[in-house]
Structures are given as C-alpha cells and as structure tokens.
Amino acid sequence: MAAPMTVPIRQAALRLGVHENTVRNWVDRDIIASHRLPSGVRRIPASEIERLEHEMFAVPTSLAPEVVRRAPKQLDGDDVVVTKYPSS
C-alpha cells in the first residue's frame, strides 16, 4: 500500500493563502492533521489541504444564485479613497 501524498508546511500555506505559522497553529490545535517525519519535520496530507480549500473557498450551495455576486471591480480614478483617518 502506498503512503498518502503529503506536502510541506510551506507549500500548504501557499495553497491556502496563509502564513506558514498559521498552518503550524492549525496543526497544533488539531484543525488540520499532520505527520512528523523522523527528522521532526511536519508534513500535511494532500487530502487535508483539499478539505481546507473546500471549506475556505467554496460557495455554500444553500445560497441562491442571485445572492452570490462577483467581486467588485477595482476603483476607478474618480473614486475617493480615504487612506488616513482625519485627526480630531
């Protein structure tokens, strides 16, 4: 039987769009499963990454299509963007 495919913490973090320490924190809190190599390096099963990707990025099927909208376009040059709060 072949061992399940695993990925290093760095690759898992890149795929999930989070910092490496966030993935380590999730492993420590049992949010995501991991395996340790004899050297102590943690490896994440690819199935766990796929599970988290689905949970983090999937649109719930319970939402009506008219509720799900596209992301807003970037601001045009005419729009005012406040970059600093006014001092009081």
Side-chain angles (χ1 to χ4, degrees):
M1 183 173 166
M5 186 177 154
T6 60
V7 297
I9 294 280
R10 179 174 295 192
Q11 186 177 350
L14 286 172
R15 279 187 60 184
L16 297 171
V18 298
H19 194 275
E20 293 174 32
N21 289 341
T22 301
V23 175
R24 289 184 186 97
N25 187 4
W26 289 345
V27 168
D28 292 342
R29 294 173 56 201
D30 294 327
I31 293 172
I32 186 169
S34 73
H35 303 287
R36 282 199 185 258
L37 300 177
S39 63
V41 175
R42 299 180 207 193
R43 294 291 175 139
I44 311 295
S47 60
E48 283 291 287
I49 303 303
E50 292 168 6
R51 178 184 65 82
L52 276 176
E53 281 178 324
H54 179 72
E55 288 179 12
M56 293 171 66
F57 304 118
V59 175
T61 56
S62 61
L63 290 179
E66 60 272 7
V67 175
V68 179
R69 293 182 227 154
R70 296 177 60 95
K73 293 182 180 179
Q74 289 186 338
L75 297 175
D76 295 332
D78 298 335
D79 295 326
V80 176
V81 178
V82 176
T83 58
K84 187 175 174 183
Y85 289 106
S87 57
S88 47

